[in-house]
Amino acid sequence: WLIGTSGAVFTMVVVGGITRLTRSGLSMTDWRPQGKRWPRDAAEWEADKDVLANLAANGDVARIARPVDVSFRGSEQDFERVLTIASQFGFVELDREEDEDGDLYLFLECVQPVDEASIRALTRKCLQIEILCGVEYDGWGCEAQGGVH
């Protein structure tokens, strides 16, 4: 039993190491349980289109990469799980705040363009984090970028 258990642990460590080194673990960007669309995906996309329209009205050039902020509502314990997963998606922590109702918010940032495909991918990542960590995705925002950069 000792050799069998040792072999199983060794195999798990090797597979885990390969998964980590090849970045094939949590790097998926289009995860749909059982092939179904996310329940909130359509509603989030409607909100995203409003933000994109507002940016375009302010002279934004969507293909320019810029800092994009996202926020999640949850507990400090949940936020630690969020940071572990979000860092693999390229997010960094900006801030944590408590609102007047006592709700805690975690603000993250990544650098990316804000064209339709990029924002859809961002929203999917954030909804994945929501499900995996038990937090509530609260949306994204950025400043309009115009001109040549």
Side-chain angles (χ1 to χ4, degrees):
W1 68 268
L2 184 58
I3 294 173
T5 303
S6 298
V9 169
F10 177 78
T11 302
M12 287 187 282
V13 169
V14 169
V15 170
I18 291 170
T19 302
R20 180 78 172 153
L21 291 173
T22 61
R23 298 184 182 271
S24 60
L26 290 173
S27 62
M28 56 193 150
T29 59
D30 194 17
W31 178 51
R32 293 190 180 123
Q34 300 160 343
K36 298 180 181 175
R37 293 189 58 87
W38 293 71
R40 289 188 50 204
D41 197 32
E44 291 295 333
W45 177 239
E46 289 304 315
D48 291 346
K49 286 194 302 189
D50 291 341
V51 175
L52 292 173
N54 187 18
L55 287 169
N58 286 300
D60 186 64
V61 178
R63 64 179 157 61
I64 298 175
R66 84 286 308 272
V68 177
D69 303 343
V70 299
S71 61
F72 295 92
R73 185 173 62 125
S75 69
E76 289 291 338
Q77 183 179 9
D78 295 334
F79 293 163
E80 294 310 314
R81 287 191 305 255
V82 169
L83 290 172
T84 299
I85 294 171
S87 65
Q88 295 183 27
F89 286 127
F91 291 103
V92 295
E93 182 176 0
L94 285 179
D95 196 12
R96 296 179 191 205
E97 292 180 7
E98 184 175 341
D99 70 8
E100 59 276 353
D101 296 328
D103 291 329
L104 297 175
Y105 288 86
L106 172 66
F107 297 92
L108 304 176
E109 179 182 82
C110 65
V111 176
Q112 70 169 63
V114 294
D115 58 275
E116 180 179 328
S118 298
I119 292 303
R120 281 184 182 259
L122 174 72
T123 299
R124 282 189 211 108
K125 290 175 191 175
C126 291
L127 291 174
Q128 288 173 28
I129 291 169
E130 177 181 90
I131 289 171
L132 292 170
C133 298
V135 294
E136 180 184 337
Y137 170 54
D138 194 46
W140 64 275
C142 67
E143 293 183 12
Q145 300 287 321
V148 178
H149 287 92

